[in-house]
């Protein structure tokens, strides 16, 4: 067989093998374990459940894990954070991409420094206490927004620089003011990169436990990941993998849904924002 | 505090704007500063200010044990240096970041090359390999704990009894492999974007000159991937110095502290109420990240220009 024929058939075969081993096996483990009774799930394996009970597992995860409250808390924190990151980021990126001066470059450099620098999580707690925002949702939203603004500003600035200025100028000649140009021309053009930034920020904020632990703690306002942590840490005497994985499935579904909806735009946004 | 920082920086532009519109530079009229101001204020207030405070609190005795905060000099740093955690945390975190970036980029590049053509088959499997990115890092950690536990799925398939997560040498490597697995989909997407950006006639020309696939890769495609590589290596290396969830869920920092990265230490010590000591570690993390990031970005950028 010639190398090109081998490559033509070997490549899909290799892809299938890798996908099965690397993604299929872990996914299978999660799904079957989440449908097993506790006695079968204590030692996790890849066998099908002898006794299927997905319903009662998911019920327990919702009940014991206080999943609904966690879901609501997550939404109340993540959605406003994403909206703020996008709106504030787009406004800033527009100015940073279009204006040329030393002050603008300095402000841009400062604003994307968050891509590299680690957030000072301990002193954030101190600052929030002084502002009376410790343990509150606005406090958490402020922390996420501050942390992820850099990502959206970086992606959006790169993208806006690739949009020809003539589009804006045409509208300006027709007498449009900056705010109108921003809303009617720049924002609609930003759609692909907004999709990218949305999924990135959502991903980070939706699955974050580290910062949520410091800012919100484990109480009333605990988000989904904190709930999962609690369920998993509760396994003092007996493993409850069946509940952990039921939790994992429910927690992951919203992100998978968001990705499926925005998939195409995400790829084009990454193409034009990060790699140029 | 945030307010003053910003106001002093923005004053010239803001006071200048409404006066004589005709005489201003066009940029100030067409792209006014106030579009950027809210973002700058929030970023300064909730990112820069905490990082500035982080240069003060590590030198105090701030903790949950007494109500007042007093200056304590280098006590906190002395404590973590003397009990050996400082050096160990630096070593563990750097090793973790290096290996995680290596695995994440390696897997991502291989996947991108395998799934490069825009066929329906490839598009489907790109989504499949992106799935781990969508699952939270904490959940990823639990999945692999269930797989690698001594009573777990891998040992039951192999019929073995290997303590995968119990080795003080190899468990760190294993955890970085998990980290690479979780994020390989993102690296793959960025490498794919980079591959797509290579002009077709360039590859055509290489083929005309008689270059095989191997030669084309090393002489044309790999150099053209430089911006994607810069982005991927930087985000992977810096991002994994900030790791927490995967390590916490798989090993919790063990065995015997061999996987205790900076954030695990902070989490543990903050939980004990020793806030200043935790923030001392946070300051060290900041300095280590800066020390790694600056030469890295400068070096990779220079490499891009050379290629």
């Amino acid at each position: 067989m010639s190398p090109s024929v081998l490559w033509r058939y070997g490549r899909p075969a290799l892809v299938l093998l890798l996908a099965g081993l690397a993604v299929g096996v872990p996914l299978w483990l999660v799904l079957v374990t989440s449908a097993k009774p506790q006695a079968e799930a204590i030692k996790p394996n890849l066998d099908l459940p002898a006794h299927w009970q997905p319903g009662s597992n998911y019920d327990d995860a919702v009940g014991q894990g206080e999943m609904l409250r966690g879901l609501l808390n997550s939404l109340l924190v993540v959605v406003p954070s994403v909206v703020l990151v996008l709106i504030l980021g787009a406004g800033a990126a527009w100015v940073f991409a279009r204006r040329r001066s030393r002050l603008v470059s300095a402000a841009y450099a400062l604003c994307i420094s968050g891509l590299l620098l680690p957030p000072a999580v301990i002193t954030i707690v101190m600052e929030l206490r002084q502002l009376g925002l410790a343990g509150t949702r606005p406090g958490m939203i402020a922390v996420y927004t501050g942390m992820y603004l850099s990502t959206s500003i970086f992606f959006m600035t790169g993208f806006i620089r690739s949009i020809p200025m003539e589009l804006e100028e045409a509208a300006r000649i027709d007498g449009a003011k900056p705010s109108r140009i921003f809303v009617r021309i720049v924002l609609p053009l930003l759609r692909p990169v907004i999709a990218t930034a949305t999924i990135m920020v959502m991903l980070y904020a939706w699955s974050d436990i580290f910062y949520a632990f410091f800012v919100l703690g484990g109480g009333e306002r605990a988000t989904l990941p904190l709930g999962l942590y609690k369920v998993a840490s509760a396994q003092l005497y007996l493993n409850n993998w069946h509940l952990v994985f039921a939790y994992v499935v429910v927690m992951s579904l919203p992100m998978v849904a968001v990705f499926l909806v925005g998939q195409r735009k995400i790829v084009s946004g990454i193409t034009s924002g990060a790699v140029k | 505090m945030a307010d003053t920082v910003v106001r002093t920086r923005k004053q010239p532009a803001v006071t200048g704007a409404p006066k004589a519109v005709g005489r201003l530079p066009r940029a100030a009229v067409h792209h006014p500063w106030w579009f950027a101001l809210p973002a700058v204020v929030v970023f300064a207030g909730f990112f820069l200010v905490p990082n500035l405070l982080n240069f003060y609190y590590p030198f105090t005795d701030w903790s949950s044990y007494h109500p007042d905060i007093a200056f304590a000099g280098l006590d906190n740093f002395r404590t973590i240096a003397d009990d050996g955690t400082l050096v160990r945390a630096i070593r563990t975190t750097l090793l973790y970041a290096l290996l995680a970036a290596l695995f994440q980029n390696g897997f991502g590049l291989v996947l991108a090359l395998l799934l490069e053509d825009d066929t329906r088959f490839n598009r489907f499997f790109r989504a499949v390999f992106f799935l781990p990115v969508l699952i939270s890092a904490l959940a990823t950690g639990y999945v692999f704990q269930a797989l690698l536990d001594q009573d777990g799925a891998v040992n039951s398939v192999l019929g073995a009894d290997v303590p995968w997560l119990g080795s003080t040498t190899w468990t760190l490597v294993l955890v970085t492999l998990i980290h690479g697995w979780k994020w390989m989909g993102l690296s793959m997407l960025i490498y794919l974007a980079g591959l797509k950006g290579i002009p077709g006639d360039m590859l055509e020309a290489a083929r005309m000159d008689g270059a095989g696939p191997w030669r084309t890769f090393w002489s044309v495609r790999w150099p053209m991937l430089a911006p994607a590589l810069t982005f991927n290596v930087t985000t992977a290396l810096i991002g994994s110095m900030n790791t927490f969830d995967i390590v916490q869920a798989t090993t919790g920092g063990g065995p015997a502290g061999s996987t205790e990265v900076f954030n695990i230490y902070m989490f543990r010590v903050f939980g004990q109420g020793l806030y200043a000591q935790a923030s001392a570690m946070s300051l060290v993390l900041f300095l280590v990240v800066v020390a790694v990031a600056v030469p890295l970005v400068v070096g990779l950028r220079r490499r891009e220009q050379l290629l």
Side-chain angles (χ1 to χ4, degrees), chain A residues 7 11-12 14-16 18-19 22-23 25-27 29-30 43-46 88-89 91-92 94-96 98-99 103-104 106-107 110-111 113-131 133 142-143 145-147 149-150 153-155 165 168-169 172 178-179 182 199-200 203-204 207-211 213-214 225 228-229 232-233 235 241 244-245 248 251-252 255-256 259 263 266-267 270-271 274-276, chain B residues 9-10 12-13 26-36 38-40 42-43 45-51 53-54 57-58 62 69 110-111 113-117 121-123 125 127-139 142-147 149 151-153 156-157 181-184 186 189-190 193-194 196 227-228 231 234 238 242 244-245 248 263-264 266-267 270-271 275 278-279 282 285-286 289-290 293 297 304:
Chain A
W7 186 232
R11 169 142 75 166
L14 189 61
V15 168
L16 281 172
L18 282 178
V23 185
V25 168
L27 199 67
L29 176 81
V30 171
K43 291 188 175 183
N45 56 37
L46 302 177
L88 302 188
W94 190 42
V95 175
F96 292 153
R98 292 304 194 207
R99 288 184 65 162
L103 188 66
V104 171
L110 208 64
C111 280
S113 67
L115 284 175
L116 297 180
L117 302 179
V121 58
I122 313 285
T123 46
I124 282 175
V125 175
M126 178 51 117
E127 190 192 331
L128 291 178
R129 273 183 201 167
Q130 285 162 349
L131 295 171
L133 292 174
V143 170
T145 311
M147 264 163 58
L149 260 175
S150 295
I153 290 177
F154 174 72
F155 274 92
M165 188 74 135
E168 288 179 32
E169 269 157 14
R172 199 169 297 128
S179 50
F182 180 71
I199 191 126
M200 298 301 291
L203 254 175
Y204 292 141
S207 48
D208 167 63
I209 176 176
F210 190 60
Y211 304 100
F213 169 81
F214 285 99
L228 172 63
Y229 182 70
S233 315
Q235 43 193 358
W241 287 118
V244 169
F245 286 143
V248 167
M251 201 173 124
S252 309
M255 286 320 301
V256 175
F259 176 73
Q263 199 189 0
I266 292 157
V267 174
I270 286 185
T271 314
V275 189
K276 282 203 302 146
Chain B
R9 295 191 47 237
K10 296 302 164 248
R26 281 168 58 214
V29 184
H30 298 326
H31 305 99
W33 259 113
W34 56 264
F35 275 89
V40 177
V42 171
F43 182 76
F46 294 96
F47 193 92
L48 294 178
V49 168
N51 260 323
L53 291 176
N54 208 23
Y57 285 106
W62 176 32
I69 296 174
V110 168
L111 289 176
L113 290 170
L114 279 174
L115 301 171
E116 189 187 349
D117 300 326
F121 177 88
N122 284 353
R123 273 204 296 269
F125 279 98
V128 169
F129 286 110
F130 198 76
L131 214 57
V133 179
L134 300 170
I135 298 169
S136 86
L138 190 72
Y142 292 134
V143 173
F144 277 89
Q145 206 201 328
L147 280 166
D149 214 52
D151 286 333
S156 104
V157 169
W181 177 87
K182 194 233 179 298
W183 290 106
M184 65 186 177
L186 192 63
L189 274 196
I190 289 158
K196 208 170 264 183
F231 184 82
T234 315
I238 305 301
N242 243 329
F244 172 76
D245 318 39
Q248 178 66 30
N263 281 350
I264 296 276
M266 282 182 228
F267 179 81
F270 187 88
Y275 306 140
S279 77
S282 170
L285 171 66
F286 180 92
V289 168
V290 170
V297 173
E304 265 177 54

Side-chain angles (χ1 to χ4, degrees), chain B residues 215-260:
Chain B
R215 185 71 205 268
T216 315
F217 178 76
W218 284 115
S219 301
V220 183
R221 280 138 60 94
W222 176 246
M224 290 294 283
L225 279 178
L229 185 86
T230 303
F231 184 82
N232 265 342
V233 169
T234 315
T235 49
L237 207 61
I238 305 301
S240 53
M241 294 178 86
N242 243 329
T243 187
F244 172 76
D245 318 39
I246 293 178
V247 188
Q248 178 66 30
T250 48
T251 68
S258 66
T259 58
E260 191 169 87

Side-chain angles (χ1 to χ4, degrees), chain A residues 71 106 159 189 195 217 223 248 257:
Chain A
L71 186 71
F159 191 86
L189 286 169
T223 52
V248 167

Side-chain angles (χ1 to χ4, degrees), chain A residues 65-189:
Chain A
E66 290 157 340
M67 202 191 275
L68 290 181
R69 197 177 67 188
L71 186 71
L72 186 70
N73 285 335
S74 272
L75 285 173
L76 284 175
V77 166
V78 173
V79 173
S81 305
V82 171
V83 171
L84 278 173
V85 163
L86 292 176
I87 294 180
L88 302 188
W94 190 42
V95 175
F96 292 153
R98 292 304 194 207
R99 288 184 65 162
R100 300 251 171 282
S101 77
R102 211 167 277 166
L103 188 66
V104 171
S105 323
Y108 176 66
L110 208 64
C111 280
I112 64 164
S113 67
L115 284 175
L116 297 180
L117 302 179
V121 58
I122 313 285
T123 46
I124 282 175
V125 175
M126 178 51 117
E127 190 192 331
L128 291 178
R129 273 183 201 167
Q130 285 162 349
L131 295 171
L133 292 174
T136 68
R137 289 191 195 97
M140 191 75 251
I141 294 168
V143 170
Y144 283 149
T145 311
M147 264 163 58
Y148 302 130
L149 260 175
S150 295
T151 312
S152 85
I153 290 177
F154 174 72
F155 274 92
M156 287 177 173
T157 307
F159 191 86
I160 294 175
R161 282 185 184 144
S162 72
I163 302 175
M165 188 74 135
E166 284 76 22
L167 287 173
E168 288 179 32
E169 269 157 14
R172 199 169 297 128
I173 290 166
D174 293 343
K177 291 209 165 67
S179 50
R180 194 175 164 80
I181 293 177
F182 180 71
V183 174
R184 300 299 289 271
I185 299 186
V186 179
L187 278 186
L189 286 169

